Amino acid sequence: MRLTRLRLNGFKSFVDPTDLLIHEGLTGVVGPNGCGKSNLLEALRWVMGENRPSAMRGGGMEDVIFNGAATRGARHFAEVALVIDNAERLAPAGFNDADQIEIVRRITRDAGSAYRANSKDVRARDVQMLFADASTGSHSPALVRQGQISELINAKPKARRRVLEEAAGISGLYARRHEAELKLAGTEQNLLRVDDVLEQLAQQLSVLIRQAKQAARYREIGEDLRRAEGMLLYRRWREADEARHVAEAALRERLVAAGQAEMAARAATTAREAAEESLPALREEEAIASAVLQRLALQRDALGDQEARALAMMTR
Ligand code: ATP
């Protein structure tokens, strides 16, 4: 796997699209202080997945975006593309389907950065793994910045070991081992969570069993209650039916009595009408009788007077 071209656009001092072609053999960049030589190395680290702003000599990652000059306004984004020759097809699976791999990293203000590999969106970790497998990457000791040679000479054994491991081409294995360890730790965490979930489920199960028993008891009581209500209603219906029979018998008796009373009333009406018919004659008779009575009373009174006078004459 060989790096063939680095293209910068809006990255640090490279405001206009700039290509750095890396030919076979040795490629050098020569220029005065401050012309941007270190920016090229930083662009290389950045596109390989560097995430520490300090490694870019900035306070935040957005400091890599061209921030304007006397004659040019600031840019809104920065983009670095790295072209890799993969004619020998040594790239890891997922990147190994083309003779040339173009890795692009782009950062936009307030939106963070994103990676693409041959125009397809990829994760930062995939890009970092691609370079780790090729025994290089943003932290590779092969990328030597200013002052780093003296740092290496005075380096601790651990840092030297990294240089040797990378030379032996096993740094990718270390990166993968680290990933595997992270995954293992994640899986252990998941197992712990599964145990927790199992415990919770067991608790829920015992609650559900208790609720199921309560529900069965509730159903039993409900059935007993319905049966008792049915019997009560039947009994009330029987009592009401008996009361209806008694009331009907009483009604029949009353109807008979009413019929008899009506007949008696009709007979009395007939008798009254007959009596009323004979009343005028009786009244006439009564009038005659009272006239006769009056006349006889007058005669009696007159005879009484005569008797009194006769008795008086006799006593004289
Ligand atoms: P030296 O040899 O002194 O180390 P150099 O050639 O390596 O210099 P760099 O340090 O790469 O140069 O480039 C520094 C230049 O990049 C400075 O002129 C600085 O103003 C410019 N620069 C850095 N960041 C930005 C940015 N975000 N926007 C615009 N210009 C920037």
Side-chain angles (χ1 to χ4, degrees), residues 12-13 32-39 57 63 65-67 146:
K12 292 208 165 191
S13 52
N33 283 353
C35 73
K37 301 182 294 295
S38 296
N39 289 347
R57 293 178 293 166
D63 289 346
I65 303 172
F66 177 74
N67 61 12
Q146 277 180 24

Side-chain angles (χ1 to χ4, degrees), residues 24-186:
E24 289 271 359
L26 201 62
T27 299
V29 180
V30 181
N33 283 353
C35 73
K37 301 182 294 295
S38 296
N39 289 347
L40 287 174
L41 186 68
E42 282 163 10
L44 202 57
R45 281 185 199 279
W46 190 71
V47 73
M48 286 175 168
E50 178 59 68
N51 275 327
R52 294 167 304 157
S54 59
M56 298 286 112
R57 293 178 293 166
M61 208 31 112
E62 288 183 3
D63 289 346
V64 301
I65 303 172
F66 177 74
N67 61 12
T71 51
R72 304 287 293 264
R75 292 285 292 270
H76 190 57
F77 72 92
E79 190 175 273
V80 174
L82 180 62
V83 180
I84 301 164
D85 177 9
N86 188 36
E88 292 176 16
R89 300 297 174 112
L90 295 175
F95 292 95
N96 209 14
D97 48 6
D99 280 349
Q100 190 168 285
I101 307 169
E102 186 190 44
I103 304 293
V104 179
R105 182 176 182 181
R106 180 187 177 101
I107 184 167
T108 310
R109 280 194 206 280
D110 302 327
S113 66
Y115 295 82
R116 271 179 293 129
N118 285 350
S119 307
K120 274 188 277 177
D121 289 336
V122 287
R123 296 176 305 173
R125 204 142 53 91
D126 299 331
V127 172
Q128 284 157 358
M129 281 317 295
L130 166 73
F131 291 110
D133 279 343
S135 279
T136 182
S138 58
H139 296 162
S140 166
L143 300 180
V144 183
R145 58 180 158 71
Q146 277 180 24
Q148 204 173 356
I149 298 290
S150 54
E151 277 173 30
L152 268 177
I153 291 166
N154 303 319
K156 290 185 181 152
K158 202 174 168 190
R160 277 207 209 101
R161 184 179 153 178
R162 276 189 57 211
V163 180
L164 293 174
E165 279 170 0
E166 194 169 299
I170 58 172
S171 54
L173 292 180
Y174 275 96
R176 284 192 192 284
R177 188 178 83 172
H178 180 62
E179 273 223 335
E181 280 169 356
L182 287 179
K183 274 186 189 157
L184 198 64

Side-chain angles (χ1 to χ4, degrees), residues 8 14 25 32 44 70 74 84 91 93 106 125 155-156 168 170 195 199 214 231 253-254 284 302:
L8 303 92
F14 294 90
L44 202 57
I84 301 164
R106 180 187 177 101
R125 204 142 53 91
K156 290 185 181 152
I170 58 172
D195 281 349
E199 205 173 302
Q214 284 173 345
M231 282 169 71
E253 270 175 30
R254 300 284 190 284
E284 203 176 320

